[in-house]
Amino acid sequence: MNTTLKHWKEAATLILAAGRGRVTSAHRSLFDYDVLLLKRSGKGGFMPNAYVFPGGVVDASDFSSEWLDIFRSFTNSPTFGLRSVKQHLETRPPIFATDRLKLGSPIPGEVALRICALRETFEESALRVNDLCSSELTKWRALVNQNPSNFIRMCRELQVLPNIWALHEWGNWLTPASRYGTTRFDTAFFICCLQEIPHTLQDDKEIERFQWSTPSEILQSYQAQKLWIAPPQFYELSRLCRFPLLNDLHNFASQRATAGCEQWMPVVVSNDEHLISLLPGDKLYPVDSPRDSEAAKNTVPPSKDHQDASPLHRIVISDRYTLRVQITITPKYNHVLPVAHSAVSHDSKSQL
């Protein structure tokens, strides 16, 4: 756990995709899988009522040396058997590149971040563990909510080995300045594909409800103002629209993960009509990283003329429920572009 950070809280989130099984003709879709979204409580201080992927803030227990015993069969490997990432260390996002041993933890960051993603997913949705009955799941979930270190205790007593190897590195998003209050997160995004939708129990504290829907259904509901998602969720769900089949998504995510990822901190500027969230690679994105600076808010507003060949990588925000991705750059680290056409919407006038 990196306590030296001034402006950020480290976090991890999990894009969880699961096969839909046999689908009736009335519910047929191009997609053969659903994605888990959780509705945050309206009483929360950070993005109340937003639909989000499961995840949360890293806890010191995620880096506890007690995990060495639970993963004892894998501790001979530097990263507990996780595949090596080919990305050069100097270009790795700090959340992955930080030497955790120098911060006092024997647990590699790539392991601890996955433990965090799994723990938070268990806290928020209580995915079934070892075929436990609902009462046992509820008991353990309550204990882990009370104290995250109880996740270690649960794994030890139930002889559960967290499947960190099923989580594939996907991205790294940072909260932009002055967008969601003073709390800002440096979040590692992982993705995991399951053959079928697991049993879940709703958390009545942080989470008001959860739902499984295809990426296109979520985007359609967002555009119809039935739910609200933040720009990172919008962007990542638009990426998933490239993969209607779960097997294709799994193969891509697994193969791509070893390439690494880029750190993205959106820089939000405005013109007369829109807010524009600039992303790395855009012609107006600050040359120097704005990670630890507030000065990025003063970036010169973009021109309305997008007809030239200048590189674009931005999310145009017309209003709370109308976003549009503009991207002309080639994604780094073998990633894919988000779908940027109206195929995901019932409204022919809408565009992602």
Side-chain angles (χ1 to χ4, degrees):
M1 187 173 179
N2 193 349
T3 58
T4 66
L5 296 176
K6 295 180 180 179
H7 306 298
W8 310 93
K9 292 184 178 180
E10 290 184 320
T13 196
L14 181 58
I15 303 172
L16 191 60
R20 307 186 81 190
R22 185 172 296 179
V23 181
T24 64
S25 57
H27 294 89
R28 280 182 182 169
S29 166
L30 290 175
F31 292 83
D32 68 354
Y33 65 91
D34 288 334
V35 175
L36 177 61
L37 280 187
L38 310 173
K39 184 182 181 183
R40 293 181 58 84
S41 169
K43 300 177 182 179
F46 183 75
M47 294 198 303
N49 297 312
Y51 279 75
V52 297
F53 303 124
V57 178
V58 168
D59 185 77
S61 65
D62 300 325
F63 285 92
S64 171
S65 60
E66 292 184 60
W67 287 112
L68 293 174
D69 180 57
I70 292 172
F71 285 96
R72 58 186 174 276
S73 299
F74 299 91
T75 53
N76 289 332
S77 168
T79 53
F80 292 24
L82 292 170
R83 293 174 299 160
S84 298
V85 175
K86 301 172 185 176
Q87 184 179 6
H88 293 300
L89 184 63
E90 60 269 20
T91 64
R92 291 284 279 155
I95 195 169
F96 293 115
T98 299
D99 187 340
R100 304 294 172 160
L101 196 58
K102 292 182 178 179
L103 298 178
S105 172
I107 308 301
E110 294 190 358
V111 173
L113 290 167
R114 285 170 167 83
I115 290 172
C116 172
L118 291 169
R119 174 182 55 76
E120 286 286 342
T121 300
F122 176 74
E123 287 183 30
E124 294 172 337
S125 58
L127 299 184
R128 187 176 292 282
V129 177
N130 280 11
D131 296 323
L132 289 182
C133 64
S134 294
S135 60
E136 281 292 297
L137 277 176
T138 300
K139 181 193 82 171
W140 278 111
R141 199 248 297 272
L143 288 170
V144 176
N145 269 313
Q146 289 171 10
N147 188 337
S149 66
N150 282 325
F151 191 57
I152 304 174
R153 175 186 162 194
M154 183 190 79
C155 291
R156 181 184 293 114
E157 292 190 15
L158 299 182
Q159 298 184 335
V160 171
L161 184 64
N163 190 357
I164 59 174
W165 306 276
L167 274 60
H168 306 297
E169 183 178 314
W170 187 260
N172 176 209
W173 287 82
L174 279 70
T175 310
S178 303
R179 288 296 294 161
Y180 304 104
T182 58
T183 303
R184 301 174 71 184
F185 298 98
D186 181 352
T187 305
F189 275 61
F190 298 98
I191 190 168
C192 176
C193 298
L194 304 176
Q195 288 298 316
E196 57 185 25
I197 294 176
H199 174 79
T200 52
L201 288 175
Q202 186 166 316
D203 169 24
D204 294 326
K205 294 182 179 180
E206 295 183 20
I207 303 302
E208 289 189 358
R209 68 185 299 263
F210 61 84
Q211 72 175 55
W212 292 89
S213 303
T214 70
S216 63
E217 288 171 345
I218 297 168
L219 292 170
Q220 288 164 13
S221 294
Y222 167 69
Q223 292 168 337
Q225 303 187 19
K226 296 179 179 178
L227 56 81
W228 185 78
I229 54 177
Q233 278 74 20
F234 179 88
Y235 193 105
E236 298 302 355
L237 288 164
S238 299
R239 270 178 167 168
L240 296 188
C241 287
R242 295 283 178 192
F243 303 98
L245 301 182
L246 181 66
N247 191 57
D248 291 343
L249 175 61
H250 170 74
N251 289 338
F252 170 79
S254 176
Q255 294 167 13
R256 195 222 63 80
T258 58
C261 71
E262 187 177 21
Q263 182 190 77
W264 287 359
M265 193 192 93
V267 174
V268 181
V269 296
S270 62
N271 61 17
D272 294 337
E273 300 177 356
H274 312 293
L275 289 176
I276 298 177
S277 182
L278 302 173
L279 297 171
D282 191 277
K283 63 182 180 180
L284 291 177
Y285 195 81
V287 175
D288 296 326
S289 171
R291 175 185 166 90
D292 294 315
S293 171
E294 296 294 320
K297 294 186 293 184
N298 299 321
T299 304
V300 177
S303 166
K304 295 180 181 180
D305 181 12
H306 301 309
Q307 301 305 313
D308 58 33
S310 298
L312 300 178
H313 190 200
R314 58 184 63 177
I315 303 172
V316 179
I317 307 170
S318 298
D319 60 49
R320 185 173 170 83
Y321 293 95
T322 308
L323 304 184
R324 184 174 74 257
V325 175
Q326 292 180 338
I327 181 168
T328 60
I329 65 170
T330 300
K332 292 184 178 181
Y333 306 110
N334 299 333
H335 233 310
V336 291
L337 295 169
V339 169
H341 55 73
S342 58
V344 298
S345 173
H346 290 307
D347 181 356
S348 61
K349 296 181 181 180
S350 297
Q351 287 191 332
L352 290 183

